[in-house]
Amino acid sequence: MTGGVPSLIDLKDIDLAYNGQTILEHVSLSVGPKEIVTLIGPNGCGKTTLIRVLLGLVRPDAGQVKRREGLTLGYVPQKISIEPSLPLTVRRFVALGGVRDVTRIEEALAHVGADHLADAQANRLSGGEFQRVALARAIARRPDLLVLDEPAQGVDVQGQVEFYRLLRHLRDQLGCGIFLVSHDLHFVMAATDQVICLNKHVCCAGQPEVVQKHPEFLHLFGPQAAREIAVYSHDHDHAHGLGGEVVAPEEGGA
Amino acid sequence: MDFLLYALIGGGAVALAAGQLGPFVIWRRMSYFGDSLAHSALLGIALGMIAGAGLNLGVLVTSLLFAGLLVTLEHQRRLGMDALLGIFAHGSLALGLVGLSLAGGAQVDLMSFLVGDILAVSRGDALLMVATSLVVIVGLRLIFDWLLSLSIHEELSLAEGWPVLRTRLIFMGLMAFFVMSAIKVVGVLLISSLLIIPAAAARAISRSPEMMCLIASGIGFVTVVLGLGLSFGLDTPAGPSIVVVALGFFGLSLAIAGLVSKSS
């Protein structure tokens, strides 16, 4: 993703330690326009910290974070819980992202298939519904870069497949770059341009097929995991059922 | 009967401000925080007396320092926040009581600070309460959406570029102003009830954040009027009487919430 087009965001040689313990070491990465980058890694590998650095929430000890000038960020955190004591419609929640224009809010909700929820109380939604609403808040801002922290957590396999399909769709329609932290390394989105495998340092990075054969990746996760990576691929002429059996592709899945 | 008029004007203004702040105290789970801040005001009174700087200034400065201290300590992990606030709330109350006895000895009317003495407010007091409440109401209006957003998810607000730290500091400042003006109404022991009870009562019939604030202000105002009436009629202390009326509204709201959930 070089070739003259400036990156949306560039991290260079990021070092970060807490209480003398290294969290991130010489981490470099960049996300280009319309690029989908997936970050994977074992628990405690620094994924959450890296996302906080990328969002500008923590300052690294060393290294540079360079954002393209005027970059608009959309962020979908891992979990948002709205207090039962807070009466808040979905529409208002989306507006709190800084968007006052009513039609833009409606559009964003329609994009994620949540337009019917606009007047619902936000604290009554299911996890899957709220995930879409949080995504709507992010895209209503018309972001250049969409950052998602383990968005498919707690959603069933079918939900994950649909969510990833939605993301690819959004990338194509809105033209934003996507940086995604995946909690499930078996389930890297097939539309990913670049997988980054993190274990304090960047173990390996590249296209999904390259990463899954990389010796450091095999060492970290074992060959079993490597075989299962990127099971969801929309380019396949078939899909896998819950037991792994081959089933007919879904309508509109490609 | 001028004193009743001043009490109504001052108390009513404070109740309106409480209604605006109170919902945020509930949404942010800060009721212990409110208690600590209010109790620290007693220490402020004592310090103001000792320094000869006036009670209001003493309370304002102490509350601001205290709020700042609590914000810095919010992220420590050694003790749970509830334990820490418990220590601060009672510690500052005890410090205040000791300080008051050193400062004024037997002449100090302790009860008026603990549970308020609204019927003793002067014209100047009432004006100050109105002005302070105006500052609180207008200030909160200006930061409303930011404060609401960061109350839901602070990191999301930061990532979206909102002035999170400034908003929190302004909110703390407004709380300190509120504490200063509310001492005369219900005293340091009951200040947080003025924040929480009307807001909790408003929850049952509110559909939006603004609506909850507005209804809480309305309930607070009516509560002060009825509480003063109760106090006048039965010759009971005004501050506690106001809180008792607020409790009545809360009970009523529970009944309404029960009816609403049954019918839906």
Side-chain angles (χ1 to χ4, degrees):
Chain A
M1 282 292 149
T2 43
V5 185
S7 303
L8 298 174
I9 197 158
D10 254 314
L11 269 59
K12 204 169 265 173
D13 287 326
I14 301 294
D15 284 336
L16 197 114
Y18 274 128
N19 303 327
Q21 207 175 357
T22 303
I23 310 286
L24 296 172
E25 207 174 9
H26 302 310
V27 175
S28 298
L29 64 89
S30 70
V31 185
K34 298 191 184 188
E35 195 185 13
I36 299 182
V37 176
T38 300
L39 182 72
I40 57 172
N43 280 338
C45 71
K47 282 179 295 194
T48 303
T49 308
L50 183 56
I51 227 173
R52 300 187 75 221
V53 170
L54 188 130
L55 291 170
L57 304 181
V58 280
R59 195 184 288 271
D61 299 333
Q64 279 187 324
V65 181
K66 216 169 78 187
R67 290 186 186 188
R68 197 179 73 184
E69 210 160 308
L71 181 87
T72 304
L73 264 175
Y75 173 44
V76 182
Q78 206 176 100
K79 184 156 178 50
I80 303 179
S81 56
I82 300 208
E83 290 284 327
S85 61
L86 174 58
L88 188 79
T89 60
V90 163
R91 196 190 304 274
R92 184 70 195 281
F93 174 78
V94 174
L96 285 177
V99 179
R100 294 189 181 277
D101 184 353
V102 181
T103 43
R104 253 170 85 174
I105 294 170
E106 304 282 340
E107 272 172 26
L109 283 168
H111 262 307
V112 301
D115 33 351
H116 62 291
L117 296 173
D119 293 312
Q121 287 288 315
N123 47 27
R124 298 242 177 104
L125 302 186
S126 73
E129 283 171 335
F130 196 81
Q131 178 192 53
R132 283 168 182 260
V133 167
L135 183 60
R137 170 160 165 174
I139 64 171
R141 292 163 54 82
R142 307 223 167 116
D144 306 298
L145 176 63
L146 197 53
V147 178
L148 301 103
D149 191 1
E150 313 204 274
Q153 205 169 36
V155 180
D156 61 17
V157 176
Q158 191 54 37
Q160 288 188 42
V161 172
E162 268 168 32
F163 192 74
Y164 285 157
R165 188 180 297 154
L166 173 64
L167 280 185
R168 189 174 71 110
H169 192 65
L170 288 177
R171 190 266 313 259
D172 295 342
Q173 281 203 319
L174 309 174
C176 54
I178 295 179
F179 184 85
L180 178 78
V181 174
S182 175
H183 74 290
D184 186 350
L185 66 121
H186 299 159
F187 217 81
V188 170
M189 190 179 162
T192 295
D193 298 295
Q194 203 191 152
V195 176
I196 295 172
C197 175
L198 186 75
N199 190 20
K200 292 182 180 165
H201 65 287
V202 175
C203 292
C204 46
Q207 289 170 319
E209 309 82 65
V210 177
V211 166
Q212 77 187 98
K213 291 184 189 117
H214 195 282
E216 271 216 64
F217 180 85
L218 292 172
H219 176 70
L220 205 54
F221 297 115
Q224 178 68 20
R227 274 199 299 278
E228 288 177 8
I229 194 175
V231 284
Y232 167 57
S233 167
H234 52 268
D235 295 322
H236 287 172
D237 58 358
H238 65 272
H240 294 278
L242 292 177
E245 75 281 10
V246 174
V247 297
E250 256 184 278
E251 197 58 33
Chain B
M1 291 294 270
D2 273 358
F3 71 97
L4 205 53
L5 186 66
Y6 298 147
L8 273 174
I9 291 173
V14 167
L16 291 178
Q20 302 296 303
L21 289 173
F24 281 99
V25 173
I26 290 186
W27 300 331
R28 295 172 60 73
R29 297 186 175 231
M30 284 172 60
S31 62
Y32 270 128
F33 179 96
D35 250 353
S36 301
L37 199 62
H39 290 181
S40 79
L42 197 65
L43 181 59
I45 291 172
L47 291 177
M49 263 185 195
I50 291 168
L55 306 191
N56 284 326
L57 192 65
V59 169
L60 191 61
V61 171
T62 316
S63 298
L64 283 173
L65 287 177
F66 214 75
L69 185 67
L70 288 172
V71 168
T72 14
L73 288 173
E74 212 175 347
H75 293 292
Q76 63 83 34
R77 291 269 168 270
R78 198 153 305 172
L79 271 177
M81 201 57 190
D82 62 330
L84 197 67
L85 286 174
I87 293 168
F88 275 120
H90 299 114
S92 60
L93 192 61
L95 273 173
L97 290 170
V98 170
L100 271 184
S101 96
L102 288 177
Q107 299 146 23
V108 176
D109 179 12
L110 193 58
M111 280 306 272
S112 75
F113 296 129
L114 291 180
V115 297
D117 195 5
I118 180 84
L119 293 172
V121 299
S122 65
R123 185 161 174 266
D125 289 334
L127 282 177
L128 185 67
M129 286 152 91
V130 169
T132 315
S133 301
L134 265 179
V135 168
V136 170
I137 291 168
V138 173
L140 196 71
R141 219 25 49 195
L142 294 176
I143 59 167
F144 196 91
D145 275 13
W146 289 332
L147 187 60
L148 186 58
S149 183
L150 82 88
S151 301
I152 293 168
H153 201 289
E154 197 164 310
E155 297 222 316
L156 177 59
S157 304
L158 275 169
E160 287 174 343
W162 307 138
V164 167
L165 184 65
R166 202 193 332 152
T167 303
R168 280 176 58 175
L169 289 175
I170 292 174
F171 180 60
M172 291 304 162
L174 296 179
M175 286 282 282
F177 264 96
F178 170 75
V179 166
M180 182 182 86
S181 65
I183 288 176
K184 297 215 172 61
V185 186
V186 287
V188 296
L189 290 181
L190 296 174
I191 282 179
S192 60
S193 64
L194 208 55
L195 289 168
I196 291 163
I197 301 176
R203 172 62 186 105
I205 46 171
S206 301
R207 299 279 302 163
S208 74
E210 284 82 358
M211 197 173 159
M212 188 159 148
C213 291
L214 205 66
I215 294 174
S217 283
I219 291 176
F221 190 83
V222 176
T223 291
V224 166
V225 175
L226 294 180
L228 282 175
L230 182 71
S231 160
F232 209 64
L234 300 180
D235 196 21
T236 49
S241 304
I242 289 170
V243 176
V244 166
V245 172
L247 264 181
F249 275 107
F250 179 65
L252 196 63
S253 84
L254 285 182
I256 291 173
L259 287 177
V260 168
S261 69
K262 254 185 207 150
S263 68
S264 69

